[in-house]
Amino acid sequence: MKTKLVILGAQWGDEGKGKVVDLLSANFDAVVRYQGGSNAGHTVVVNGEKFILHLLPTGILHPHTIGVVAQGMVVDLELLVEEVQALEDKGLRVWDRFFISDRAHLVMPYHKLLDSLFEKKGKIGTTLRGIGPSYMFKFGRKGIRVCDLENPDNAYRLMKENLEFVKDLCEKVYYQRQDLSLEQMFEKTMENYRKIKERVTDTTKWLLEFKGRVLFEGAQGTMLDIDMGTYPYVTSSNASALGLSNGTGLPPKYFSTAEFWAVSKAYTTRVGEGPFPTELTDGVGEMLRNRGGEYGATTGRPRRCGWLDLVALKHAVRVNGLDGLILTKLDVLDSFEEIKVCVAYERNGKLTQDLPANLELVGGIKPVYKSFSGWLKDTRGAKSISQLPPQAIEYLEFIQEYIGIPIVMLSTGPERDEYFWMVDEKA
Ligand code: GDP
Ligand code: IMO
Ligand code: MG
C-alpha cells in the first residue's frame, strides 16, 4: 500500500493524468495540486458523464477525499469559485472538502491581458489563462497572494500598484489602451475571497500533520517544465518532479518515501508552438487526432499529433526518477497497420538518445524510427494482458525495455474503469 504517490505528465501534457488520478484517488485520502493553474484541463469520464477539472485536484470527485490547492499554484479565484459551484450543482459536496494555501499567488485580470499581449510578439501558444504573467509577478516580487486579501486596504494598495505598472507597460511598450477598472477588480476579487475564505489555510503545515494517504497530481508534463522542457516553449512552472517541494512547501525529504509514476500516451501530442520531433503533419497525424479525439480540454484547440518519442520519454524517466509508467490510449492505435516509435535523434549524421537542451538546433533534428506491425484489433476495455493481441504486447515490451522501468498500468479507454494493472504491486 502506497502512502504517498506522485502522478506526473511524461510528455507535453494531456497524457490522461486526470483519468488516472481519478481512478487512483479511490485509495487516497487527500489529493494535491501544487503547480500551474487553470491552464490544466484534466478530464474524467464517469458513466458517460464528462468532468473537466482546471484548478481543483481531480481526486475531489471522490466524496471521501480532501482536495488541496497548494502554494505553488497560481489561482484565478473567479474560476475556482465557479469550478467548486459547478460540482456542487451536480450534487457533489465540495465547499467543505478542499483547502487553498494562504501562500498561493493569484491570477488577476491584468495577467490575462498581459498573456494575450505577450502572445502577439514571440508566440508560445499559451492557454491565455494568465499563467506566465502571474509567475512573472511572483518572481518579480509584485505578486498578490491569497493571504494578502485578509487585509482589504493592503489588497487594494497592491492591486493599485500593479494596475499602474500594467497600464504603463501596455501604453508605453505595446501602445495599447488598458481599460481595467481598479474598483471593479477589487470588489470582484474580495467577493470571491469571501466565498473561499473559510478554506484558506497553511497547506504545508496541514500536509505535514496529515496522517492519511496523499496523492500529488502534477499538471502539464515534463516536456513543458520550465527548466527541463523545450524552453522557451514551455509553461512557467516546474511541471516535472522538480516542482514538488517548492510547489507544496514540503521538504525534499518528505518525498523520499513517495512512489513516482508518470503518464504517457501510446503516441505523442502537443498543443501550442514549439519543437515536436515526431510530429506527423500528414494523414496519419490526422487519423491520430480523429481517433484520439485530440482537442484541448481547456482551449478546444486541435492537438498536434505524432508517434511515441522514446527519447523524450526516457528523459522524463531520468528527470523525475520514475518508478513506473502508466500508458494511456493504446486503443487509439487499434486501426493503424504500421506503428512507429522514435528510438534516437539524428543530427548532422550523429545519433543520440539524450534530449538536447535545445531541440531547435541549427541543422535540425530528425527522429530515427523503429517500425512495428499494427494489431488491427479492438483493445478498448481490455482487462488483462492476455486479452491483448501479440503485436500490442510486443509494442509494450519494447517500450518498457527502452525506458528501463515497468509499465504499471494500462488505460484502455476514457471511462474510469477502463484500465488494468500490469504489475502485482498496486497503488
Ligand atoms: P490530462 O490533462 O493529462 O488529464 O489529459 P486530458 O484530459 O487533457 O486529455 C486526455 C483525453 O484522453 C481525455 O479526453 C480523456 O478522457 C481521454 N483518455 C484518457 N485515457 C484514455 C484511454 O486510455 N483511451 C482513450 N481512448 N481515451 C483516453
Ligand atoms: P494539462 O495539465 C497541454 C501548454 C500551452 C502552451 C504552453 C504554455 O491539461 O496536461 P501556458 O498557458 O501554460 O503559459 O502555456 O503550455 N500547456 C498545456 N498543454 N496540457 C496542459 O495542461 C497545458 N498547460 C499548458 O498549450 O504550449
Ligand atoms: Mg489536459
Side-chain angles (χ1 to χ4, degrees):
M1 198 170 88
K2 305 191 187 330
T3 51
K4 296 172 190 168
L5 177 65
V6 178
I7 299 291
L8 301 157
Q11 300 171 301
W12 277 278
D14 300 331
E15 298 90 346
K17 297 176 294 294
K19 184 239 155 108
V20 167
V21 168
D22 166 67
L23 76 90
L24 293 175
S25 295
N27 300 321
F28 287 82
D29 306 300
V31 185
V32 184
R33 273 281 311 273
Y34 56 90
Q35 45 71 231
S38 62
N39 48 350
H42 295 180
T43 315
V44 180
V45 185
V46 189
N47 300 325
E49 190 179 2
K50 199 187 232 188
F51 298 83
I52 302 180
L53 290 118
H54 300 285
L55 283 164
L56 289 168
T58 308
I60 201 87
L61 296 180
H62 289 266
H64 72 278
T65 59
I66 295 168
V68 178
V69 173
Q71 64 175 39
M73 287 188 73
V74 287
V75 184
D76 186 329
L77 284 187
E78 176 100 26
L79 291 183
L80 179 65
V81 167
E82 267 174 37
E83 195 162 307
V84 174
Q85 198 51 51
L87 292 178
E88 289 266 345
D89 292 347
K90 286 189 175 182
L92 260 172
R93 211 190 77 240
V94 179
W95 276 118
D96 61 348
R97 247 186 341 110
F98 77 96
F99 290 114
I100 172 170
S101 166
D102 47 5
R103 290 184 169 89
H105 279 248
L106 302 179
V107 173
M108 299 297 292
Y110 48 79
H111 291 135
K112 289 186 262 191
L113 175 78
L114 290 178
D115 206 350
S116 59
L117 273 187
F118 294 159
E119 280 290 282
K120 289 190 179 147
K121 292 183 186 170
K123 191 169 186 237
I124 299 289
T126 75
T127 58
L128 300 177
R129 295 299 190 271
I131 306 300
S134 178
Y135 279 115
M136 278 169 79
F137 275 50
K138 169 176 174 173
F139 286 97
R141 292 158 296 179
K142 287 186 182 302
I144 304 181
R145 299 185 296 167
V146 171
C147 59
D148 293 321
L149 302 181
E150 206 184 332
N151 176 343
D153 292 340
N154 183 41
Y156 186 85
R157 180 184 57 80
L158 289 169
M159 282 180 218
K160 185 166 182 287
E161 280 172 17
N162 277 348
L163 206 57
E164 280 164 7
F165 171 72
V166 173
K167 192 174 161 64
D168 272 356
L169 194 64
C170 289
E171 290 176 0
K172 296 184 181 150
V173 179
Y174 286 90
Y175 305 109
Q176 289 257 337
R177 257 177 63 109
Q178 177 280 115
D179 303 316
L180 290 170
S181 148
L182 173 63
E183 305 304 321
Q184 265 177 24
M185 185 190 306
F186 175 72
E187 290 305 329
K188 194 75 207 163
T189 307
M190 296 312 289
E191 185 189 322
N192 287 324
Y193 173 65
R194 284 190 288 276
K195 290 185 184 155
I196 57 133
K197 202 172 159 206
E198 294 299 310
R199 312 315 308 156
V200 177
T201 196
D202 177 344
T203 52
T204 303
K205 182 165 181 281
W206 187 87
L207 281 166
L208 280 171
E209 288 169 359
F210 188 61
K211 297 280 180 285
R213 303 173 70 190
V214 189
L215 195 158
F216 295 86
E217 174 178 356
Q220 291 80 53
T222 307
M223 297 297 283
L224 288 171
D225 182 278
I226 185 83
D227 290 298
M228 306 313 289
T230 48
Y231 191 88
Y233 298 99
V234 290
T235 192
S236 296
S237 67
N238 282 114
S240 72
L242 301 185
L244 275 163
S245 196
N246 67 45
T248 55
L250 295 166
K253 242 187 211 164
Y254 174 97
F255 295 98
S256 61
T257 51
E259 184 88 356
F260 287 79
W261 290 347
V263 186
S264 168
K265 283 175 186 164
Y267 50 97
T268 310
T269 64
R270 124 163 255 182
V271 207
E273 309 297 308
F276 179 178
T278 62
E279 180 171 19
L280 297 164
T281 49
D282 56 5
V284 182
E286 191 70 36
M287 194 162 147
L288 280 171
R289 184 174 310 111
N290 291 338
R291 282 228 35 159
E294 297 297 353
Y295 295 88
T298 298
T299 58
R301 290 178 290 176
R303 294 174 182 152
R304 298 156 65 191
C305 298
W307 296 122
L308 185 62
D309 183 342
L310 289 180
V311 177
L313 201 53
K314 203 165 189 166
H315 176 73
V317 173
R318 285 192 199 124
V319 168
N320 298 310
L322 294 182
D323 300 301
L325 188 77
I326 296 171
L327 201 75
T328 60
K329 299 192 127 175
L330 186 76
D331 53 296
V332 174
L333 299 180
D334 286 352
S335 48
F336 287 80
E337 277 180 16
E338 185 191 24
I339 294 161
K340 293 185 187 175
V341 289
C342 169
V343 291
Y345 293 160
E346 187 197 318
R347 188 186 163 231
N348 297 335
K350 284 206 181 117
L351 295 186
T352 179
Q353 292 191 353
D354 297 326
L355 191 94
N358 185 359
L359 271 178
E360 294 185 301
L361 297 167
V362 184
I365 272 174
K366 247 182 62 195
V368 179
Y369 288 114
K370 178 173 165 61
S371 177
F372 291 83
S373 19
W375 40 92
L376 301 173
K377 286 203 179 74
D378 201 1
T379 64
R380 171 118 191 227
K383 277 289 165 203
S384 74
I385 189 119
S386 61
Q387 291 177 4
L388 295 180
Q391 296 91 330
I393 297 174
E394 194 195 342
Y395 186 65
L396 300 181
E397 281 176 349
F398 183 81
I399 296 170
Q400 296 192 95
E401 197 174 314
Y402 187 102
I403 61 173
I405 57 164
I407 297 174
V408 291
M409 178 195 281
L410 195 72
S411 167
T412 56
E415 280 276 347
R416 187 181 259 178
D417 58 358
E418 289 180 308
Y419 74 95
F420 66 86
W421 291 99
M422 301 263 291
V423 291
D424 292 335
E425 197 205 342
K426 302 164 184 170

